[in-house]
Amino acid sequence: MASEDVKPSESAVTTIVNLAEEAKLAREGVKAPSYAILSIAKSLTAGGVAGGVSRTAVAPLERLKILLQVQNPHNIKYNGTIQGLKYIWKTEGFRGLFKGNGTNCARIVPNSAVKFFSYEQASKGILYLYQQQTGNEDAQLTPLLRLGAGACAGIIAMSATYPMDMVRGRLTVQTENSPYQYRGMFHALSTVLRQEGPRALYKGWLPSVIGVVPYVGLNFAVYESLKDWLIKSKAFGLVHDNELGVTTRLACGAAAGTVGQTVAYPLDVIRRRMQMIGWKDAASIVTGEGRSKAPIEYTGMVDAFRQTVRHEGIGALYKGLVPNSVKVVPSIALAFVTYEMVKDILGVEIRISD
């Protein structure tokens, strides 16, 4: 985005400098770097940093959300956002608030990097096909086309990193009193592979794919459409994309996150519950204690929906929605803002160094 904001005179100077640098490298027998590769690296780096920063900032709320989603309905320990956070602090201390965050960051950095990069590439491809179909080279992406690009990006990124998300869910819900302790992400991955087989790493994948379409798709569609509307309507005197301030981008990201997470939330609950299936020596928060102790068993996504609604009511599909709503707004907003800021910073550095 930063490169698009450069004035014509600056673009000319940059081009001359780049050609001179390429000539210098050619004389020295060194192959000039591909600017396409640099652009890809910039996009991947910005996406990874954005994901890591945004998730760490809301890690306590993320953990509480998962605990509320999967806890045994007959053995309630977490009963609301404030009470849940206090209970974690009381029983597990400060570190308990961030349990599973290391794995989450290890997952979310490549996930976000692939997601943002895939979105940009999908957007370019879809826009090219749309311009060819309409015969209008000046045509722009519509909200529906942006939703499609966002959905493609979400599915690719989620599928690529799903095994890490699966074990992250289990690491997040285990406590000090759990019968068996995963020592970390790699230990959890190897244990699941050994005890449950490779297919277990993709438990809950189907509802994740279905849920990622409205969630990620609406995130990108709403965010980009709001930005375009603000610029085209010249709201607050805005004319160009680079005039959008951090506060405005945060507001757009917050609106995008709220819409996406509300539509897709029930599928997220089902995904988390399916990830707990077949967990030998599962955490007591999942199985319950005493007379209420029982393993979670679902035959599939539809059965998980049916059992959840039958035994706990329709409201169970929205367990953890409050902490998720509190965390998803700053999380998504920070992700978008950090992504664009890092891209701008890297863009400036690339122009100077080249």
Side-chain angles (χ1 to χ4, degrees):
M1 292 183 182
S3 60
E4 296 173 359
D5 301 330
V6 182
K7 295 178 181 179
S9 60
E10 294 174 331
S11 297
V13 172
T14 302
T15 301
I16 293 172
V17 172
N18 289 340
L19 289 173
E21 184 66 21
E22 288 180 8
K24 177 183 176 182
L25 290 170
R27 287 195 304 271
E28 295 175 353
V30 180
K31 188 176 181 180
S34 168
Y35 294 103
I37 294 176
L38 288 176
S39 178
I40 291 171
K42 180 174 72 171
S43 180
L44 287 171
T45 301
V49 173
V53 169
S54 63
R55 290 307 176 102
T56 301
V58 296
L61 291 166
E62 174 69 12
R63 187 185 180 212
L64 177 61
K65 179 202 76 171
I66 296 175
L67 289 168
L68 288 168
Q69 286 178 332
V70 303
Q71 74 173 339
N72 190 296
H74 305 294
N75 188 28
I76 302 295
K77 292 182 178 179
Y78 306 93
N79 189 23
T81 305
I82 303 300
Q83 182 276 336
L85 290 173
K86 287 182 176 179
Y87 186 80
I88 294 173
W89 178 275
K90 179 181 177 181
T91 57
E92 302 179 64
F94 179 77
R95 291 183 62 185
L97 294 171
F98 290 87
K99 184 170 288 186
N101 185 56
T103 305
N104 194 25
C105 286
R107 175 192 70 88
I108 205 63
V109 169
N111 180 280
S112 291
V114 173
K115 183 169 62 180
F116 278 105
F117 170 67
S118 299
Y119 176 72
E120 290 198 350
Q121 299 308 307
S123 295
K124 291 177 183 177
I126 291 173
L127 179 59
Y128 174 77
L129 293 175
Y130 182 60
Q131 290 174 339
Q132 294 296 310
Q133 184 179 18
T134 59
N136 180 12
E137 294 184 357
D138 296 324
Q140 298 297 315
L141 288 173
T142 64
L144 184 61
L145 293 176
R146 285 200 180 104
L147 192 149
C152 290
I155 291 172
I156 292 170
M158 183 274 298
S159 298
T161 60
Y162 192 81
M164 298 172 72
D165 179 69
M166 189 272 184
V167 298
R168 194 265 297 199
R170 293 193 176 185
L171 283 166
T172 299
V173 302
Q174 75 176 7
T175 64
E176 299 298 326
N177 297 324
S178 297
Y180 182 80
Q181 294 286 325
Y182 293 129
R183 295 192 295 271
M185 181 180 67
F186 294 109
H187 180 245
L189 284 168
S190 63
T191 302
V192 172
L193 276 172
R194 184 176 66 255
Q195 295 183 350
E196 304 173 49
R199 291 183 61 183
L201 294 174
Y202 282 88
K203 287 178 178 177
W205 179 83
L206 181 58
S208 297
V209 169
I210 298 173
V212 84
V213 174
Y215 181 65
V216 178
L218 285 172
N219 274 346
F220 280 110
V222 173
Y223 181 73
E224 296 291 346
S225 297
L226 279 175
K227 284 203 313 178
D228 285 353
W229 176 79
L230 287 171
I231 294 169
K232 289 178 181 178
S233 65
K234 297 183 178 180
F236 312 112
L238 298 172
V239 178
H240 301 291
D241 181 84
N242 64 315
E243 293 180 359
L244 289 172
V246 172
T247 303
T248 305
R249 294 181 191 274
L250 278 170
C252 292
T258 300
V259 173
Q261 68 96 22
T262 301
V263 172
Y265 194 78
L267 287 159
D268 188 56
V269 172
I270 296 304
R271 169 183 64 150
R272 289 298 173 201
R273 295 193 169 199
M274 291 183 70
Q275 288 177 349
M276 304 299 142
I277 299 173
W279 184 5
K280 183 182 178 182
D281 297 322
S284 59
I285 188 66
V286 177
T287 61
E289 297 175 342
R291 295 180 180 179
S292 64
K293 187 172 183 178
I296 294 179
E297 294 295 341
Y298 303 123
T299 58
M301 182 183 70
V302 175
D303 183 53
F305 267 108
R306 185 167 50 242
Q307 285 198 46
T308 298
V309 174
R310 180 195 303 157
H311 298 306
E312 302 173 57
I314 194 73
L317 296 175
Y318 290 90
K319 283 186 173 180
L321 180 62
V322 173
N324 191 64
S325 298
V326 174
K327 68 97 181 170
V328 79
V329 172
S331 176
I332 295 296
L334 279 170
F336 277 113
V337 173
T338 305
Y339 173 70
E340 296 199 358
M341 289 180 68
V342 173
K343 275 195 68 178
D344 288 344
I345 293 170
L346 292 175
V348 171
E349 289 179 351
I350 288 173
R351 287 198 296 273
I352 292 174
S353 63
D354 289 342

